[in-house]
Amino acid sequence: MTDNPMLTVRLGKIAHGGHTVARHEGRVIFVRHGIPGELVKVRLTDSAPEAKFWRADVAEVLEASEHRVPHFWDAADALKHRDPVGGAEFGHITLEHQRELKSQVAAEQMTRLGGLNAEDYNFPAVQAVKGSVDGLGWRTRMSYSVDAQGRLAMSAFRSNQLTGIAQMPLAHPAIEATGLYSVDYTGIDRVEAAVSSQDDRTVLILLAEAKPGAAAKVAKQFAEGVNVASFSQQGGSAADGKGRLQVLAGSAHLTEKVLGEKFRITGEGFWQVHREAASLLTRRVIELTEPAAGERIADLYAGAGLFSVPLAKAVGREGRVFSIEGAPGTHADAKKNLRSYSQATVIRGRVERVLRQVARDASLDAVVLDPPRTGIDKQVAAELAASAVSRICYVSCDPAAFARDTARLMARGYELEHMEIHDLYPHTHHMESIGLFVRR
C-alpha cells in the first residue's frame, strides 16, 4: 500500500476522541476533521495491513454538513494543511452542533462502559458555558513546544512533527498580548503560559531549559510586567515540586480568585483551564454535595484546594475536611490556601492509601473527587465502597473514564442520582462531567 493513500468515504457516527467512524471495504476507519453524514476524501495516516482499524484525516469535502463552518484557525485547518496542529479539532463545526456531538459521545460511553440503558436514563445535553459565545479566548493555561528555529510550536495529532505558530485563538487574550510568539526560545524545550483569574491580566511564563542559562536570555525579551520563571525538567517540574524553579522576572506564582476566595498557584501547578471553570465547578460541586455544618468530607485529588476551601467553610469549626493530593508542589500550595481553616487537614500521598487511613479514623459523610483524565482505579473504588460514605460528587474531564468509574461505583452499591455535562473545552472533543452518587 502506498504512503498516505486517498479514499472516498461517507462519515458515520461520532466516536470518543474527536473522530467520526467510516468504513471502506469492511475496514473501520477513525476519521478526524469531519462531521457525521459528510461525503469526504480522506488521507490515511495509519493504515497498517494488520491493524484492527485505520486512521485518517479529511482532505477534501465533497458533500458538506449543514453544520460545517470555515475553521477559525488556519494552522489547525485540515483542508489547508496536511498536518494540522492539534488543540482545535472541532473548529470546523458550529458550537451548537459540537455540543450535540459531545452529548452523543457521553450517552454512548455511559451506555457501553457505564452499563446504563440509554432508554431508561435521561442523559443530559452538554451545556454551554458563560463567555463562550464564539468559543475563543477561554484557555488560561497554555503549553507549547519549541521548534529547531526557536519558535513556539505545536504538533499534529499523534505526530512529533512540529509546526511553528504565530497565534492560538483559544488562548486567553492576556496571554496572546504578551508578544510570546515573537520571542526567540533557542535553548528552551517547552514553554508554559498562564494568566491569573484575579485580574484577568497578570501572566506567568514558565521556561523549561534544554540548555543551562538559556532561560535568562529568553526572559529579557519579555516586556516589563510579565512574570517569567524557569524550571528544570531533569529534576522534575514545578508542578510536582521536584524541579528547580527559578524566578527570572516578577513572581513564580499566580493568585487566582474564585467566588471571593484567593488561591496561590505556583509554577505549572494544576488549575482549571477554562476561564469560567473554577467558579462554575466550585458552585456546582457545593450545590450537589450539600455540605452541612459538622460534617466530615474528603476532597480527593484536591490540587491546590479549589473545592477544599469552600467545603471547609461549609462544615465549620465542628466539621473536618481532608484535602488529599499527591503532587508535592501543588500540596504546598494547598497548605497555604487552607492555612486559616483549622478544620482542614491537608495530606500528601497516594489517594487509595490516604483514603483508607482517613476512612478508618473518621466516619466520612461525603467525598468529592476530581481525578486525572484516567479516572480512579479499582482500588480507589473499593476504598470508597469500604468507607460506606453516603454521597460522592465526582468531577471528570473524560467521558470514557467517568462511564467506566460509574460502572465500578454502581457495582459497589452506589447509584448515579445526578449527572450534568459542561462545555468547558469549546472547539475540542473534550467535556466536563459532574456526577452525584448516593449509597443505595
Side-chain angles (χ1 to χ4, degrees):
M1 182 172 286
T2 60
D3 291 338
N4 301 115
M6 299 280 283
L7 299 175
T8 298
V9 296
R10 177 74 68 178
L11 300 179
K13 66 179 183 178
I14 191 72
H16 178 47
H19 315 276
T20 50
V21 180
R23 294 180 181 274
H24 179 75
E25 296 180 353
R27 176 80 67 169
V28 173
I29 309 175
F30 286 100
V31 181
R32 292 178 76 80
H33 312 292
I35 305 175
E38 290 186 325
L39 183 67
V40 297
K41 286 187 177 180
V42 300
R43 180 182 298 108
L44 293 174
T45 57
D46 187 354
S47 55
E50 68 279 7
K52 293 183 179 179
F53 57 83
W54 290 346
R55 297 180 183 274
D57 289 342
V58 171
E60 182 181 349
V61 179
L62 303 178
E63 294 179 11
S65 165
E66 61 180 319
H67 305 294
R68 179 173 283 274
V69 294
H71 205 295
F72 61 85
W73 187 20
D74 182 272
D77 190 346
L79 302 184
K80 296 180 179 179
H81 301 282
R82 187 183 184 91
D83 294 301
V85 300
E89 64 274 12
F90 275 8
H92 61 285
I93 310 173
T94 64
L95 281 171
E96 182 179 4
H97 195 57
Q98 289 180 33
R99 291 190 283 269
E100 291 177 3
L101 294 177
K102 293 179 186 184
S103 295
Q104 293 173 24
V105 168
E108 189 272 338
Q109 295 294 300
M110 291 299 288
T111 301
R112 184 170 62 86
L113 299 179
L116 299 177
N117 190 333
E119 296 180 355
D120 300 333
Y121 200 92
N122 184 25
F123 292 117
V126 175
Q127 303 176 39
V129 177
K130 176 185 174 183
S132 297
V133 175
D134 60 4
L136 305 180
W138 54 267
R139 290 195 63 113
T140 63
R141 264 69 184 162
M142 287 297 305
S143 180
Y144 307 90
S145 298
V146 177
D147 67 13
Q149 289 73 47
R151 303 173 301 176
L152 290 187
M154 297 179 71
S155 60
F157 178 67
R158 294 172 59 88
S159 172
N160 294 321
Q161 181 176 332
L162 295 177
T163 299
I165 59 174
Q167 62 167 172
M168 206 300 183
L170 299 185
H172 190 291
I175 294 177
E176 297 287 279
T178 60
L180 75 172
Y181 300 105
S182 62
V183 171
D184 181 357
Y185 293 95
T186 299
I188 301 299
D189 185 64
R190 191 174 83 253
V191 177
E192 309 281 341
V195 60
S196 168
S197 63
Q198 182 183 26
D199 60 10
D200 237 17
R201 186 177 65 250
T202 303
V203 175
L204 170 62
I205 304 293
L206 286 162
L207 308 170
E209 287 187 317
K211 295 181 180 179
K217 296 179 181 179
V218 171
K220 294 178 181 178
Q221 300 177 60
F222 284 94
E224 185 177 353
V226 177
N227 299 289
V228 186
S230 67
F231 62 99
S232 62
Q233 280 190 301
Q234 290 77 13
S237 71
D240 63 26
K242 298 178 182 178
R244 175 180 57 84
L245 183 64
Q246 180 181 1
V247 177
L248 301 173
S251 172
H253 72 265
L254 290 177
T255 299
E256 302 289 351
K257 191 172 184 180
V258 181
L259 304 181
E261 296 292 331
K262 291 184 179 181
F263 298 82
R264 190 192 80 165
I265 308 298
T266 301
E268 57 175 349
F270 175 77
W271 192 252
Q272 294 293 335
V273 175
H274 192 290
R275 61 200 303 181
E276 298 291 335
S279 296
L280 170 65
L281 294 178
T282 299
R283 185 181 300 109
R284 292 303 296 141
V285 164
I286 298 303
E287 290 172 351
L288 290 171
T289 307
E290 295 183 317
E295 285 195 319
R296 296 166 298 278
I297 300 177
D299 183 11
L300 313 182
Y301 314 95
L306 174 62
F307 302 142
S308 298
V309 169
L311 288 170
K313 291 178 65 177
V315 301
R317 299 289 182 179
E318 290 73 36
R320 294 285 301 279
V321 167
F322 302 92
S323 184
I324 303 170
E325 170 59 43
T330 305
H331 165 76
D333 281 340
K335 290 186 69 174
K336 290 185 179 294
N337 295 331
L338 286 155
R339 63 183 179 275
S340 61
Y341 296 95
S342 60
Q343 64 268 41
T345 302
V346 184
I347 308 171
R348 179 170 70 86
R350 292 178 61 87
V351 165
E352 62 272 18
R353 295 176 183 173
V354 176
L355 175 61
R356 181 185 308 165
Q357 187 62 48
V358 166
R360 287 174 180 172
D361 296 343
S363 178
L364 294 174
D365 296 292
V367 166
V368 171
L369 63 153
D370 184 3
R373 191 172 298 281
T374 52
I376 63 175
D377 59 23
K378 293 180 180 179
Q379 188 174 349
V380 173
E383 293 297 337
L384 286 169
S387 74
V389 62
S390 63
R391 60 195 194 276
I392 300 170
C393 188
Y394 187 143
V395 180
S396 171
C397 61
D398 184 87
F402 181 78
R404 184 202 63 220
D405 291 340
T406 293
R408 286 175 174 171
L409 291 173
M410 292 183 70
R412 290 170 171 82
Y414 288 91
E415 180 179 346
L416 180 59
E417 183 175 271
H418 175 84
M419 176 184 176
E420 60 192 54
I421 311 173
H422 299 275
D423 192 18
L424 291 178
Y425 310 92
H427 298 301
T428 80
H429 71 274
H430 299 291
M431 64 193 87
E432 195 86 4
S433 303
I434 309 176
L436 179 66
F437 296 86
V438 295
R439 190 80 174 174
R440 289 198 293 266

